[in-house]
Amino acid sequence: MTEKDIECEVVTPLFSRGVTDPVNGAYPFELRPQSVKGVMRFWFRAIAPLVIDIYKLDELNKLNDDERKRWEGERYKGLKYLEELIFGSQNRKAPFGLEVETSRNVKTLKGYKLKKGRTPESENPKDYKFDVEPPFQSYSVYGLHNDDNMVTYQYIDSGEKFTLKFYIRDEQVGNVLMNILWMVSIFSGFGAKTRKGYGEFRIVNQGNVIGNRDAFNDAQVQVKKSLDEFVKTHNDTNRYPKFVIQPTQFNGLPEFPTFASYTIFTLPNLSDDKWSKVMEQLYSIKIDMGTRKVMSRGWYIVLKYSLRTNNGKDCVKNLKDALLNNVRTVVIPPSILGLPIQYQNLKDSKKPDISYFRITLFSLLRGLDGIDDENGRKGSPLFVSLHQTNDKWIPVLLLMNSQITNDRNELRLEKSVKEASQKAKPYKLHEDFTVVGYEDFDALSQLITKSGGKKYE
């Protein structure tokens, strides 16, 4: 067995929690080996379809009856078998172990402020609002705080170190793992909100090859090469079943994010000498406190709003019309950037005395475990990462085209109504209409380009 210690330096704040209950208003920081392995599995799955047919395995007839039936009933035969050989499963012990050592210099995300007119002595969470500084965090860390009991996350900050200790029993598996980790450091990170650019890290002790965060294409090539060598060795040693070594041919969009269909963009117009300033340009919302009007929006928020008002029509207005006036079909373009989506405090402006209502939209996609969950969540196919070149930080966008839903493109809708006042009239929302997802990745790419995105070749 070989021990390989990978020292990493945090680039952007890394938010991660375990199963421990909150302490002093925060979930204690914990980066678990299972979480690290889960992220590495995701990026492994993104590359595997370039090497094997993920739906096929050969020579299943040479297995015993139980094993043959097991694989015959599996949709992603090739992918699941390859993943089992590298990461282990309930049926096979993993060929490596992992420990995580993190910094003890932990910070807490703070940001609850007393609402105007409330007394400082109040202990009621409803008298407080989450309002952090710097301003970009209010949007970008959504979900990392529980307003019902004013609990937030702990994190380790930029510049802190953590170490991944791998105990590897198979040299080829180790080569695959190191290259996957390299890819994680380029496009993703660990912990929460990695698609928004948090939890990023650089590998600091692996020389000038593995660890270069600007080698966007090299990392893909190396992961593909290491997987290709692994599956060929497996097939050549007469082990069963055997892989079908050819790229997967998807029928339309892949069911999950893969490098079979992707684009990389940079946003040079947002570059700055501080990463926090770049994040602010991506995610901040500036509001005139007197008029409550939005004065400016960050790049990412403008992108989502552009989708919402696609072709000059506001999909939220269309959705309200469907709920109130029985429109038959509503397309929700922002769904392409992930689900669920929630729109709240909606009402008919022509009927001010009726109740407010809230709707939440979920995906109906059922596919690979760990990618699409049973609660209708679909992660964004757009990955934002920050990279430093010549003392300037610049955002890099990886867009991996994938299905949002697979049930006639429909989304699942849940709604709730709340009273606008004690005099509010009860209002029955219409049921008989269809909400449709949006999967036009060419249109999304065009929006990114129009808003300053430069394709990386």
Side-chain angles (χ1 to χ4, degrees):
M1 180 180 292
T2 302
E3 179 179 339
K4 200 168 186 64
D5 295 351
I6 310 299
E7 185 180 10
C8 305
E9 180 181 354
V10 177
V11 171
T12 56
L14 196 166
F15 298 91
S16 185
R17 54 166 285 197
V19 296
T20 308
D21 291 335
V23 177
N24 297 325
Y27 292 106
F29 180 88
E30 183 182 3
L31 180 60
R32 295 179 294 170
Q34 296 95 319
S35 298
V36 172
K37 291 178 182 179
V39 173
M40 294 180 70
R41 282 177 184 260
F42 177 94
W43 292 97
F44 154 81
R45 290 170 173 177
I47 288 288
L50 305 183
V51 178
I52 63 168
D53 189 324
I54 63 172
Y55 303 112
K56 297 178 181 178
L57 281 173
D58 276 347
E59 303 194 40
L60 292 174
N61 61 315
K62 296 188 177 180
L63 302 175
N64 62 48
D65 287 345
D66 289 341
E67 278 290 291
R68 177 177 54 78
K69 290 178 182 178
R70 173 193 170 200
W71 291 114
E72 285 179 344
E74 172 59 57
R75 171 172 170 75
Y76 301 101
K77 297 177 180 64
L79 179 64
K80 286 295 190 70
Y81 183 50
L82 180 56
E83 184 173 332
E84 184 175 286
L85 293 178
I86 294 173
F87 290 95
S89 69
Q90 293 180 342
N91 301 292
R92 184 187 298 268
K93 186 176 180 179
F96 73 97
L98 175 64
E99 294 178 359
V100 182
E101 296 179 353
T102 60
S103 169
R104 294 188 179 183
N105 187 16
V106 175
K107 296 183 177 181
T108 299
L109 180 65
K110 297 184 182 297
Y112 281 100
K113 297 182 180 179
L114 196 67
K115 293 179 180 178
K116 188 176 180 179
R118 306 302 200 272
T119 60
E121 295 79 14
S122 174
E123 296 182 359
N124 187 345
K126 293 183 179 180
D127 289 338
Y128 293 82
K129 64 178 179 178
F130 188 76
D131 187 18
V132 296
E133 293 290 343
F136 67 83
Q137 285 191 305
S138 291
Y139 179 89
S140 57
V141 300
Y142 179 81
L144 302 186
H145 52 93
N146 185 331
D147 296 342
D148 290 337
N149 52 15
M150 295 195 297
V151 173
T152 63
Y153 272 51
Q154 288 188 335
Y155 65 95
I156 53 177
D157 210 350
S158 176
E160 296 293 332
K161 302 285 181 62
F162 64 92
T163 301
L164 304 177
K165 303 174 75 71
F166 289 88
Y167 302 93
I168 300 168
R169 290 186 285 273
D170 183 303
E171 184 177 345
Q172 278 195 323
V173 169
N175 189 35
V176 171
L177 294 174
M178 293 305 104
N179 282 288
I180 291 175
L181 184 64
W182 179 20
M183 179 175 290
V184 174
S185 75
I186 293 173
F187 295 116
S188 176
F190 296 123
K193 298 297 179 180
T194 56
R195 283 174 166 87
K196 294 290 192 296
Y198 286 103
E200 295 184 42
F201 65 94
R202 61 170 59 92
I203 298 171
V204 298
N205 65 335
Q206 291 299 301
N208 295 322
V209 183
I210 292 181
N212 179 3
R213 294 189 70 240
D214 296 328
F216 307 123
N217 291 325
D218 290 351
Q220 299 169 55
V221 170
Q222 289 302 318
V223 176
K224 181 176 179 296
K225 180 181 178 183
S226 62
L227 281 175
D228 190 60
E229 292 173 352
F230 182 87
V231 297
K232 286 180 177 176
T233 298
H234 174 277
N235 280 10
D236 290 345
T237 53
N238 295 319
R239 289 188 286 174
Y240 305 104
K242 293 183 179 294
F243 296 105
V244 178
I245 305 177
Q246 63 184 27
T248 302
Q249 298 298 313
F250 291 100
N251 182 19
L253 285 174
E255 298 98 306
F256 55 92
T258 80
F259 284 99
S261 180
Y262 77 98
T263 310
I264 297 175
F265 302 88
T266 62
L267 294 173
N269 292 342
L270 302 188
S271 64
D272 198 276
D273 57 356
K274 294 182 178 180
W275 67 263
S276 59
K277 289 292 185 181
V278 176
M279 295 283 267
E280 184 171 347
Q281 292 181 80
L282 284 167
Y283 302 119
S284 66
I285 303 177
K286 296 182 180 178
I287 300 174
D288 185 313
M289 299 308 295
T291 63
R292 303 301 299 173
K293 290 184 177 180
V294 175
M295 305 301 293
S296 65
R297 295 180 174 92
W299 182 91
Y300 188 87
I301 301 169
V302 169
L303 178 66
K304 292 198 75 171
Y305 192 78
S306 297
L307 285 165
R308 171 178 161 174
T309 56
N310 191 43
N311 297 324
K313 299 178 181 179
D314 187 343
C315 69
V316 176
K317 181 181 183 303
N318 295 341
L319 187 57
K320 286 201 302 181
D321 288 343
L323 288 164
L324 298 171
N325 304 310
N326 207 19
V327 173
R328 301 299 296 179
T329 303
V330 182
V331 179
I332 307 293
S335 66
I336 196 171
L337 288 181
L339 291 164
I341 297 175
Q342 185 177 98
Y343 298 112
Q344 56 188 351
N345 294 329
L346 303 178
K347 64 181 299 183
D348 190 342
S349 59
K350 297 179 181 179
K351 300 174 182 177
D353 57 343
I354 70 167
S355 301
Y356 289 88
F357 53 92
R358 176 180 65 194
I359 63 97
T360 308
L361 304 169
F362 302 88
S363 174
L364 293 177
L365 186 64
R366 291 293 180 267
L368 198 58
D369 58 284
I371 301 273
D372 316 302
D373 70 29
E374 61 185 11
N375 296 317
R377 188 180 188 280
K378 176 66 178 179
S380 174
L382 185 66
F383 295 78
V384 179
S385 56
L386 272 58
H387 296 260
Q388 189 177 27
T389 304
N390 298 326
D391 297 326
K392 289 285 187 180
W393 290 93
I394 185 171
V396 173
L397 312 176
L398 169 63
L399 178 63
M400 291 196 289
N401 307 346
S402 62
Q403 293 180 16
I404 302 301
T405 182
N406 59 7
D407 188 355
R408 291 171 36 214
N409 295 326
E410 291 184 22
L411 305 180
R412 177 165 60 87
L413 177 146
E414 291 181 358
K415 54 188 178 296
S416 60
V417 179
K418 66 177 183 179
E419 293 183 354
S421 68
Q422 290 183 346
K423 296 181 179 180
K425 295 180 181 179
Y427 196 91
K428 184 176 181 179
L429 301 177
H430 288 288
E431 304 281 348
D432 188 21
F433 65 95
T434 301
V435 185
V436 180
Y438 184 80
E439 295 181 345
D440 190 339
F441 282 91
D442 288 338
L444 176 57
S445 293
Q446 290 173 16
L447 279 177
I448 292 173
T449 301
K450 287 180 181 178
S451 60
K454 304 293 183 184
K455 288 187 179 181
Y456 180 86
E457 303 296 340

